[in-house]
Amino acid sequence: MLQYSLKRICLALLVAVTVSFLSFMLVRVSGDPAFALAGENASESELAMVRQQYGLDRPVLVQYFDWAGRALHGDLGQSPYFKEHVVVIIGHRLQVTMILGLSALAFALILSIPLGVVAAIRPNTWIDRLALGLSVFGQAMPSFWFGLILILIFSVKLRWFPVSGSTSWRHLVLPTIALGYYGIPAFMRLTRSGMMDVLSSDYIRTARAKGLRAASVIFKHALRNAIIPVVSVVAVQLGFMLGGSVVIESVFAINGFGLLAYESIARADLPMIQAIVLILSLIYVVLTLLADILNALLDPRIRVS
Amino acid sequence: MTNLTNLPSEPFPAIVFPTPGQTMRRRTLAHWGFLLGAGVLVILLAASLLAPLLAPYDPYQQDLVHRLVNPVWYADGTWSHPLGTDGLGRDYLSRLLYGGRISLLIGVTAMSISGLIGSSLGIAAGYFGGRVDTVVSFLVTTRLALPVILVALAIVALVGGSLPMVIMVLGLLIWDRFAVVMRSSTQQLRSADFISAAQATGCSTLRIIIRELLPNIMNNLIVVATLAMSRAILLEAALSYLGMGVQPPLPSWGLMIAEGKEFMFFTPWLIVIPGTVLFLMVLSINLMGDGIRDITAPEGRS
C-alpha cells in the first residue's frame, strides 16, 4: 500500500510540474506577452517598461523558475486589472464555485445511483430504458444551451427561480442542475454495470441462499462493492465540473471562479489566466490522486498489480 | 450410407451460414438506435451540403426592416421566412443551413487531427509497451489534468479566433480518448497469433501495424471517432457562444444562440431552434457511434 501510494504521489508531482510549465507557457502562445499587458496602442518605450517590470526580458526558463518558486510560497503574482494579488481574488471566487460544484455533484449522485441500481436489478425494463435514454440525451445536450432553456422554463415562464446571480440558495438551483446533469450518464452507467457484475457473483448467491432480505442483499452486500469504480469517477467528474463552471457561470452570471476565468481571458489578464489554469489543473491532479489512493484502500487488487 | 431408410428422397439442403456481411447487415437493420442516428445525420448532412441550393436567402444579407420576424407557426409568421429572421433581419433558416456546414467541418477536421495524434500515441504505447507506454501514459495523464474549455478559450482569445484556429486548438486538445482506447485495444491484440506470424515471416513493424493490427481495431477507432466528433462540435458551440470561437458574421450555431440570447425573453425561438438542431446533430452522431459498437462487437454488449 505504502509503495503504491508513493509511486502514485511521485507521478502526481511530475504531472503537477509539467502542468505548471504548460500553464506558464500558455500565455506565451501568441508571442510576446508584453503586448497583451501593455495594451494595444502601447509605444515601444511603454513595451520596454512593461518587459522590465514583469521581468520579461529574462530567458523564459529563468522566468518560469522564478514564477514557480513564488507559486510554491503562495504568490502567483499581481493582476494588472485588479491591482491586487491574484491569490486573494481567486480564493474568494473559488468558494462560490466549490459550493456550486459540490451541489452539482450531489445532485448528479442522488439521481444517478438509485437509477443505476434499479436499472441493474431490472435490466431491459422501461426504467432501464428510461435511464439509458436519459444518459444518451444528457451526453448530447450542449450545457450552455441547457442552462438557457432552464432559465426560459423555470425563471421566465414559471417564475420559480431567479434568472441569474448568486446571492441566495434559490439562485443556485438551476446552475446546479445545468452543471450536474453532465455527470449523470457516467455515474449511472458505472453503477449499472458494477451492480450487474456484482449481482451475478457467488457471494450474492450465497447471501440470497441464506435467506437474507432482498434489500439487505442489494444495499449491504452488492452496492458496497459495486460503488468502488464510481468513487474514482466522482473525483474526475468534480474536476470536469469545476472546468465546466466557466460556461455555466457565464450563462447564469454567477460571480465565481469560472466567470473570473472567462472575464480574465476576455481582458487578457495574463497572471490571472496562468494562475487559474494552474489551480484548476492542480485541483484535478490532487482529486485523482486521492481517488486512486482511496480506491486502492477499498480494493486491494489495485495495489498489487 | 445410401441404404439408410429414413432419409428423404432429395438430398439435405446444405446448411448455409450467413456471411459476415449478411450478419452485419441483419444486425444493422435490427438496431433502431443506429438507424435513427444515421437517418437524422444523413438529413442534417444533406441539408448542410446542399445549403446553397436549399437556403432561400443569403445567410449574411441583413434586412433591418424585417427584424425578428416570427417563424411560420406563429400567428404573424410568414412562409417567406419559415424560421423567422434574427436581430439583424437575416433569414434564420438560411443561417441554420449554413451553420450546419461549420459544425460538420469542425467536427470532421478536429476529429481527424486528434485521431491522428491520439491513435499514433495509443498504438505505439500498446505495441511497444515499456518506456514508450510509460511516456504516453504520462502524456495522457497530463493532458487530462488540463481543463479543455479553459485552455481552448485562453488560446483562441490570445491568438485570435478564426475557423482554422478553433479547429487546430480543439484537434490538439481532445486526442486523449483516442490514445486511451487505441492503447488498450492494441495491447489486447499484441500477443495474438496472427501478429506473431507476421513477425515471424519478417514483416516490418509499420506493415504489421497498418495491415494486421489496424483492421482489427478499426471498429473501436470508429466509435471513438464519433465521440470525438460530437465533443468537438459541442466545444466549438460553447466557445462560439462565449464569443471566443468562430467570429461573427459566420452563422455558427453557438454564435446564433449567443446572438439570440439578447432577445431570449421575447423571442425564445431564437435560441431554441439552433440549440435543438445542435442537440439533434450530436445525438445522431452519438447514436451512430453506440450502434457501430453494438453491431461490430455484439459480445461486448451489456
Side-chain angles (χ1 to χ4, degrees), chain B residues 152-178:
Chain B
L153 271 176
I155 295 179
V156 174
L158 290 173
V159 182
S162 67
L163 201 58
M165 196 60 216
V166 174
I167 291 171
M168 212 47 211
V169 170
L170 290 182
L172 289 175
L173 278 174
I174 59 171
W175 49 266
D176 46 287
R177 210 182 263 138
F178 278 105

PDB file of all heavy atoms in Angstrom, chain B residues 152-178:
ATOM      1  N   ALA B 152      -8.659  26.080 -24.231  1.00  0.00           N
ATOM      2  CA  ALA B 152      -9.094  26.442 -25.573  1.00  0.00           C
ATOM      3  C   ALA B 152      -9.511  27.914 -25.621  1.00  0.00           C
ATOM      4  O   ALA B 152      -9.113  28.655 -26.519  1.00  0.00           O
ATOM      5  CB  ALA B 152     -10.251  25.549 -26.012  1.00  0.00           C
ATOM      6  N   LEU B 153     -10.291  28.334 -24.624  1.00  0.00           N
ATOM      7  CA  LEU B 153     -10.717  29.738 -24.548  1.00  0.00           C
ATOM      8  C   LEU B 153      -9.515  30.663 -24.526  1.00  0.00           C
ATOM      9  O   LEU B 153      -9.447  31.649 -25.264  1.00  0.00           O
ATOM     10  CB  LEU B 153     -11.519  29.975 -23.270  1.00  0.00           C
ATOM     11  CG  LEU B 153     -13.023  29.780 -23.277  1.00  0.00           C
ATOM     12  CD1 LEU B 153     -13.570  29.978 -21.883  1.00  0.00           C
ATOM     13  CD2 LEU B 153     -13.670  30.758 -24.224  1.00  0.00           C
ATOM     14  N   ALA B 154      -8.549  30.341 -23.646  1.00  0.00           N
ATOM     15  CA  ALA B 154      -7.398  31.219 -23.471  1.00  0.00           C
ATOM     16  C   ALA B 154      -6.600  31.330 -24.765  1.00  0.00           C
ATOM     17  O   ALA B 154      -6.249  32.430 -25.202  1.00  0.00           O
ATOM     18  CB  ALA B 154      -6.515  30.705 -22.338  1.00  0.00           C
ATOM     19  N   ILE B 155      -6.331  30.178 -25.406  1.00  0.00           N
ATOM     20  CA  ILE B 155      -5.507  30.217 -26.618  1.00  0.00           C
ATOM     21  C   ILE B 155      -6.223  30.976 -27.731  1.00  0.00           C
ATOM     22  O   ILE B 155      -5.650  31.863 -28.373  1.00  0.00           O
ATOM     23  CB  ILE B 155      -5.157  28.786 -27.096  1.00  0.00           C
ATOM     24  CG1 ILE B 155      -4.289  28.101 -26.047  1.00  0.00           C
ATOM     25  CG2 ILE B 155      -4.417  28.836 -28.422  1.00  0.00           C
ATOM     26  CD1 ILE B 155      -3.913  26.699 -26.399  1.00  0.00           C
ATOM     27  N   VAL B 156      -7.512  30.635 -27.949  1.00  0.00           N
ATOM     28  CA  VAL B 156      -8.239  31.298 -29.026  1.00  0.00           C
ATOM     29  C   VAL B 156      -8.325  32.806 -28.761  1.00  0.00           C
ATOM     30  O   VAL B 156      -8.178  33.618 -29.671  1.00  0.00           O
ATOM     31  CB  VAL B 156      -9.646  30.678 -29.197  1.00  0.00           C
ATOM     32  CG1 VAL B 156     -10.443  31.463 -30.216  1.00  0.00           C
ATOM     33  CG2 VAL B 156      -9.541  29.236 -29.640  1.00  0.00           C
ATOM     34  N   ALA B 157      -8.527  33.175 -27.482  1.00  0.00           N
ATOM     35  CA  ALA B 157      -8.640  34.600 -27.165  1.00  0.00           C
ATOM     36  C   ALA B 157      -7.311  35.317 -27.382  1.00  0.00           C
ATOM     37  O   ALA B 157      -7.273  36.434 -27.894  1.00  0.00           O
ATOM     38  CB  ALA B 157      -9.108  34.778 -25.728  1.00  0.00           C
ATOM     39  N   LEU B 158      -6.202  34.683 -27.007  1.00  0.00           N
ATOM     40  CA  LEU B 158      -4.910  35.346 -27.100  1.00  0.00           C
ATOM     41  C   LEU B 158      -4.415  35.403 -28.537  1.00  0.00           C
ATOM     42  O   LEU B 158      -3.824  36.394 -28.957  1.00  0.00           O
ATOM     43  CB  LEU B 158      -3.875  34.629 -26.227  1.00  0.00           C
ATOM     44  CG  LEU B 158      -4.082  34.785 -24.711  1.00  0.00           C
ATOM     45  CD1 LEU B 158      -3.111  33.912 -23.944  1.00  0.00           C
ATOM     46  CD2 LEU B 158      -3.908  36.239 -24.313  1.00  0.00           C
ATOM     47  N   VAL B 159      -4.663  34.321 -29.299  1.00  0.00           N
ATOM     48  CA  VAL B 159      -4.138  34.281 -30.666  1.00  0.00           C
ATOM     49  C   VAL B 159      -5.114  34.927 -31.633  1.00  0.00           C
ATOM     50  O   VAL B 159      -4.723  35.431 -32.680  1.00  0.00           O
ATOM     51  CB  VAL B 159      -3.830  32.828 -31.072  1.00  0.00           C
ATOM     52  CG1 VAL B 159      -3.238  32.772 -32.467  1.00  0.00           C
ATOM     53  CG2 VAL B 159      -2.863  32.204 -30.091  1.00  0.00           C
ATOM     54  N   GLY B 160      -6.404  34.917 -31.284  1.00  0.00           N
ATOM     55  CA  GLY B 160      -7.407  35.481 -32.182  1.00  0.00           C
ATOM     56  C   GLY B 160      -8.279  34.385 -32.759  1.00  0.00           C
ATOM     57  O   GLY B 160      -7.759  33.382 -33.252  1.00  0.00           O
ATOM     58  N   GLY B 161      -9.587  34.542 -32.648  1.00  0.00           N
ATOM     59  CA  GLY B 161     -10.493  33.494 -33.088  1.00  0.00           C
ATOM     60  C   GLY B 161     -10.678  33.476 -34.588  1.00  0.00           C
ATOM     61  O   GLY B 161     -10.861  34.510 -35.212  1.00  0.00           O
ATOM     62  N   SER B 162     -10.576  32.297 -35.192  1.00  0.00           N
ATOM     63  CA  SER B 162     -10.893  32.113 -36.603  1.00  0.00           C
ATOM     64  C   SER B 162     -11.185  30.639 -36.762  1.00  0.00           C
ATOM     65  O   SER B 162     -10.842  29.841 -35.899  1.00  0.00           O
ATOM     66  CB  SER B 162      -9.724  32.523 -37.493  1.00  0.00           C
ATOM     67  OG  SER B 162      -8.647  31.643 -37.291  1.00  0.00           O
ATOM     68  N   LEU B 163     -11.831  30.268 -37.846  1.00  0.00           N
ATOM     69  CA  LEU B 163     -12.209  28.872 -38.038  1.00  0.00           C
ATOM     70  C   LEU B 163     -11.013  27.918 -37.958  1.00  0.00           C
ATOM     71  O   LEU B 163     -11.025  26.966 -37.177  1.00  0.00           O
ATOM     72  CB  LEU B 163     -12.971  28.741 -39.357  1.00  0.00           C
ATOM     73  CG  LEU B 163     -13.862  27.511 -39.508  1.00  0.00           C
ATOM     74  CD1 LEU B 163     -14.886  27.450 -38.405  1.00  0.00           C
ATOM     75  CD2 LEU B 163     -14.550  27.535 -40.860  1.00  0.00           C
ATOM     76  N   PRO B 164      -9.927  28.162 -38.751  1.00  0.00           N
ATOM     77  CA  PRO B 164      -8.780  27.243 -38.671  1.00  0.00           C
ATOM     78  C   PRO B 164      -8.170  27.180 -37.271  1.00  0.00           C
ATOM     79  O   PRO B 164      -7.744  26.116 -36.820  1.00  0.00           O
ATOM     80  CB  PRO B 164      -7.775  27.843 -39.670  1.00  0.00           C
ATOM     81  CG  PRO B 164      -8.557  28.748 -40.526  1.00  0.00           C
ATOM     82  CD  PRO B 164      -9.724  29.224 -39.736  1.00  0.00           C
ATOM     83  N   MET B 165      -8.174  28.327 -36.572  1.00  0.00           N
ATOM     84  CA  MET B 165      -7.589  28.356 -35.228  1.00  0.00           C
ATOM     85  C   MET B 165      -8.390  27.466 -34.275  1.00  0.00           C
ATOM     86  O   MET B 165      -7.813  26.684 -33.510  1.00  0.00           O
ATOM     87  CB  MET B 165      -7.623  29.813 -34.729  1.00  0.00           C
ATOM     88  CG  MET B 165      -6.735  30.069 -33.548  1.00  0.00           C
ATOM     89  SD  MET B 165      -5.038  29.718 -33.957  1.00  0.00           S
ATOM     90  CE  MET B 165      -4.505  29.060 -32.399  1.00  0.00           C
ATOM     91  N   VAL B 166      -9.714  27.594 -34.321  1.00  0.00           N
ATOM     92  CA  VAL B 166     -10.562  26.780 -33.449  1.00  0.00           C
ATOM     93  C   VAL B 166     -10.355  25.299 -33.742  1.00  0.00           C
ATOM     94  O   VAL B 166     -10.210  24.477 -32.830  1.00  0.00           O
ATOM     95  CB  VAL B 166     -12.053  27.162 -33.642  1.00  0.00           C
ATOM     96  CG1 VAL B 166     -12.952  26.233 -32.869  1.00  0.00           C
ATOM     97  CG2 VAL B 166     -12.289  28.591 -33.197  1.00  0.00           C
ATOM     98  N   ILE B 167     -10.298  24.948 -35.037  1.00  0.00           N
ATOM     99  CA  ILE B 167     -10.096  23.551 -35.421  1.00  0.00           C
ATOM    100  C   ILE B 167      -8.775  23.035 -34.869  1.00  0.00           C
ATOM    101  O   ILE B 167      -8.695  21.966 -34.264  1.00  0.00           O
ATOM    102  CB  ILE B 167     -10.113  23.417 -36.960  1.00  0.00           C
ATOM    103  CG1 ILE B 167     -11.525  23.675 -37.481  1.00  0.00           C
ATOM    104  CG2 ILE B 167      -9.618  22.058 -37.390  1.00  0.00           C
ATOM    105  CD1 ILE B 167     -11.619  23.782 -38.989  1.00  0.00           C
ATOM    106  N   MET B 168      -7.730  23.832 -35.048  1.00  0.00           N
ATOM    107  CA  MET B 168      -6.385  23.458 -34.606  1.00  0.00           C
ATOM    108  C   MET B 168      -6.367  23.218 -33.093  1.00  0.00           C
ATOM    109  O   MET B 168      -5.897  22.185 -32.617  1.00  0.00           O
ATOM    110  CB  MET B 168      -5.459  24.628 -34.951  1.00  0.00           C
ATOM    111  CG  MET B 168      -4.053  24.303 -35.299  1.00  0.00           C
ATOM    112  SD  MET B 168      -3.981  22.966 -36.450  1.00  0.00           S
ATOM    113  CE  MET B 168      -2.434  22.320 -35.906  1.00  0.00           C
ATOM    114  N   VAL B 169      -6.886  24.184 -32.350  1.00  0.00           N
ATOM    115  CA  VAL B 169      -6.834  24.097 -30.884  1.00  0.00           C
ATOM    116  C   VAL B 169      -7.622  22.892 -30.401  1.00  0.00           C
ATOM    117  O   VAL B 169      -7.144  22.115 -29.565  1.00  0.00           O
ATOM    118  CB  VAL B 169      -7.384  25.402 -30.255  1.00  0.00           C
ATOM    119  CG1 VAL B 169      -7.575  25.235 -28.769  1.00  0.00           C
ATOM    120  CG2 VAL B 169      -6.440  26.545 -30.529  1.00  0.00           C
ATOM    121  N   LEU B 170      -8.840  22.691 -30.938  1.00  0.00           N
ATOM    122  CA  LEU B 170      -9.637  21.549 -30.494  1.00  0.00           C
ATOM    123  C   LEU B 170      -8.950  20.237 -30.860  1.00  0.00           C
ATOM    124  O   LEU B 170      -8.892  19.314 -30.054  1.00  0.00           O
ATOM    125  CB  LEU B 170     -11.039  21.609 -31.116  1.00  0.00           C
ATOM    126  CG  LEU B 170     -11.934  22.722 -30.585  1.00  0.00           C
ATOM    127  CD1 LEU B 170     -13.299  22.654 -31.234  1.00  0.00           C
ATOM    128  CD2 LEU B 170     -12.071  22.627 -29.075  1.00  0.00           C
ATOM    129  N   GLY B 171      -8.408  20.177 -32.083  1.00  0.00           N
ATOM    130  CA  GLY B 171      -7.722  18.961 -32.509  1.00  0.00           C
ATOM    131  C   GLY B 171      -6.555  18.614 -31.604  1.00  0.00           C
ATOM    132  O   GLY B 171      -6.312  17.445 -31.293  1.00  0.00           O
ATOM    133  N   LEU B 172      -5.844  19.634 -31.132  1.00  0.00           N
ATOM    134  CA  LEU B 172      -4.680  19.383 -30.283  1.00  0.00           C
ATOM    135  C   LEU B 172      -5.083  19.067 -28.841  1.00  0.00           C
ATOM    136  O   LEU B 172      -4.248  18.663 -28.036  1.00  0.00           O
ATOM    137  CB  LEU B 172      -3.757  20.603 -30.287  1.00  0.00           C
ATOM    138  CG  LEU B 172      -3.012  20.847 -31.599  1.00  0.00           C
ATOM    139  CD1 LEU B 172      -2.216  22.143 -31.536  1.00  0.00           C
ATOM    140  CD2 LEU B 172      -2.087  19.685 -31.909  1.00  0.00           C
ATOM    141  N   LEU B 173      -6.353  19.281 -28.502  1.00  0.00           N
ATOM    142  CA  LEU B 173      -6.755  19.092 -27.108  1.00  0.00           C
ATOM    143  C   LEU B 173      -7.541  17.811 -26.839  1.00  0.00           C
ATOM    144  O   LEU B 173      -7.550  17.319 -25.716  1.00  0.00           O
ATOM    145  CB  LEU B 173      -7.595  20.286 -26.639  1.00  0.00           C
ATOM    146  CG  LEU B 173      -6.811  21.513 -26.198  1.00  0.00           C
ATOM    147  CD1 LEU B 173      -7.756  22.664 -25.914  1.00  0.00           C
ATOM    148  CD2 LEU B 173      -5.975  21.208 -24.965  1.00  0.00           C
ATOM    149  N   ILE B 174      -8.257  17.287 -27.841  1.00  0.00           N
ATOM    150  CA  ILE B 174      -9.183  16.209 -27.498  1.00  0.00           C
ATOM    151  C   ILE B 174      -8.726  14.830 -27.976  1.00  0.00           C
ATOM    152  O   ILE B 174      -9.530  13.961 -28.238  1.00  0.00           O
ATOM    153  CB  ILE B 174     -10.601  16.495 -28.037  1.00  0.00           C
ATOM    154  CG1 ILE B 174     -10.588  16.658 -29.554  1.00  0.00           C
ATOM    155  CG2 ILE B 174     -11.190  17.728 -27.374  1.00  0.00           C
ATOM    156  CD1 ILE B 174     -11.981  16.735 -30.152  1.00  0.00           C
ATOM    157  N   TRP B 175      -7.399  14.600 -28.020  1.00  0.00           N
ATOM    158  CA  TRP B 175      -6.907  13.310 -28.506  1.00  0.00           C
ATOM    159  C   TRP B 175      -6.831  12.252 -27.406  1.00  0.00           C
ATOM    160  O   TRP B 175      -6.495  11.092 -27.653  1.00  0.00           O
ATOM    161  CB  TRP B 175      -5.518  13.471 -29.129  1.00  0.00           C
ATOM    162  CG  TRP B 175      -4.565  14.233 -28.266  1.00  0.00           C
ATOM    163  CD1 TRP B 175      -4.328  15.563 -28.326  1.00  0.00           C
ATOM    164  CD2 TRP B 175      -3.755  13.728 -27.210  1.00  0.00           C
ATOM    165  NE1 TRP B 175      -3.413  15.917 -27.371  1.00  0.00           N
ATOM    166  CE2 TRP B 175      -3.042  14.811 -26.668  1.00  0.00           C
ATOM    167  CE3 TRP B 175      -3.548  12.453 -26.661  1.00  0.00           C
ATOM    168  CZ2 TRP B 175      -2.156  14.673 -25.601  1.00  0.00           C
ATOM    169  CZ3 TRP B 175      -2.664  12.315 -25.606  1.00  0.00           C
ATOM    170  CH2 TRP B 175      -1.984  13.421 -25.086  1.00  0.00           C
ATOM    171  N   ASP B 176      -7.134  12.658 -26.164  1.00  0.00           N
ATOM    172  CA  ASP B 176      -6.876  11.744 -25.042  1.00  0.00           C
ATOM    173  C   ASP B 176      -7.609  10.411 -25.161  1.00  0.00           C
ATOM    174  O   ASP B 176      -7.040   9.356 -24.929  1.00  0.00           O
ATOM    175  CB  ASP B 176      -7.229  12.436 -23.730  1.00  0.00           C
ATOM    176  CG  ASP B 176      -8.555  13.138 -23.770  1.00  0.00           C
ATOM    177  OD1 ASP B 176      -8.669  14.200 -24.411  1.00  0.00           O
ATOM    178  OD2 ASP B 176      -9.494  12.624 -23.168  1.00  0.00           O
ATOM    179  N   ARG B 177      -8.921  10.474 -25.562  1.00  0.00           N
ATOM    180  CA  ARG B 177      -9.679   9.221 -25.584  1.00  0.00           C
ATOM    181  C   ARG B 177      -9.177   8.286 -26.677  1.00  0.00           C
ATOM    182  O   ARG B 177      -9.156   7.074 -26.508  1.00  0.00           O
ATOM    183  CB  ARG B 177     -11.159   9.507 -25.754  1.00  0.00           C
ATOM    184  CG  ARG B 177     -11.999   8.436 -25.084  1.00  0.00           C
ATOM    185  CD  ARG B 177     -13.472   8.671 -25.274  1.00  0.00           C
ATOM    186  NE  ARG B 177     -14.107   9.342 -24.164  1.00  0.00           N
ATOM    187  CZ  ARG B 177     -15.012  10.311 -24.324  1.00  0.00           C
ATOM    188  NH1 ARG B 177     -15.310  10.733 -25.523  1.00  0.00           N
ATOM    189  NH2 ARG B 177     -15.585  10.848 -23.295  1.00  0.00           N
ATOM    190  N   PHE B 178      -8.746   8.852 -27.822  1.00  0.00           N
ATOM    191  CA  PHE B 178      -8.147   8.030 -28.868  1.00  0.00           C
ATOM    192  C   PHE B 178      -6.962   7.255 -28.296  1.00  0.00           C
ATOM    193  O   PHE B 178      -6.839   6.058 -28.501  1.00  0.00           O
ATOM    194  CB  PHE B 178      -7.645   8.914 -30.015  1.00  0.00           C
ATOM    195  CG  PHE B 178      -8.700   9.325 -30.995  1.00  0.00           C
ATOM    196  CD1 PHE B 178      -9.205  10.603 -30.988  1.00  0.00           C
ATOM    197  CD2 PHE B 178      -9.171   8.426 -31.933  1.00  0.00           C
ATOM    198  CE1 PHE B 178     -10.173  10.986 -31.905  1.00  0.00           C
ATOM    199  CE2 PHE B 178     -10.131   8.801 -32.853  1.00  0.00           C
ATOM    200  CZ  PHE B 178     -10.637  10.089 -32.840  1.00  0.00           C
TER     201      PHE B 178
END
